[in-house]
Amino acid sequence: PAYRYYSKKKDSWISTSWASYRKKVTAVSIGLLSIGATLGQKLAIFCSNRPEWAISHISALACGLVSVPLHNSYTKKQCVE
């Protein structure tokens, strides 16, 4: 699998194949480009440690963006600095 994560709702481990991961990254990349993302632009990703963070990060890199990870425990002041 490309990645695995534990689902509290399902009380089990969930696996995602490389093909599914690629499909998700491609969809997010297309979305970023469709809203005008440009080469070298910074993209802040405000998220906890979860599969969506990895998908967003790799999608940003695939578009030539600069991924700026912001953990969800950061305060507003920390995010602005």
Side-chain angles (χ1 to χ4, degrees):
Y3 60 85
R4 294 183 72 201
Y5 66 96
Y6 186 77
S7 170
K8 290 181 183 178
K9 288 182 182 180
K10 296 182 180 180
D11 191 30
S12 66
W13 285 93
I14 308 295
S15 295
T16 299
S17 69
W18 283 105
S20 177
Y21 183 63
R22 179 175 158 249
K23 186 175 180 180
K24 291 174 184 180
V25 167
T26 300
V28 173
S29 297
I30 290 168
L32 289 170
L33 294 172
S34 74
I35 61 170
T38 58
L39 187 65
Q41 187 175 18
K42 295 176 185 171
L43 176 70
I45 302 172
F46 187 80
C47 190
S48 59
N49 187 15
R50 51 185 300 128
E52 291 82 0
W53 180 90
I55 292 165
S56 300
H57 176 71
I58 298 301
S59 297
L61 297 178
C63 292
L65 306 178
V66 177
S67 175
V68 182
L70 302 172
H71 195 269
N72 67 337
S73 66
Y74 289 177
T75 64
K76 181 179 178 180
K77 182 179 176 184
Q78 289 173 310
C79 290
V80 173
E81 295 174 348

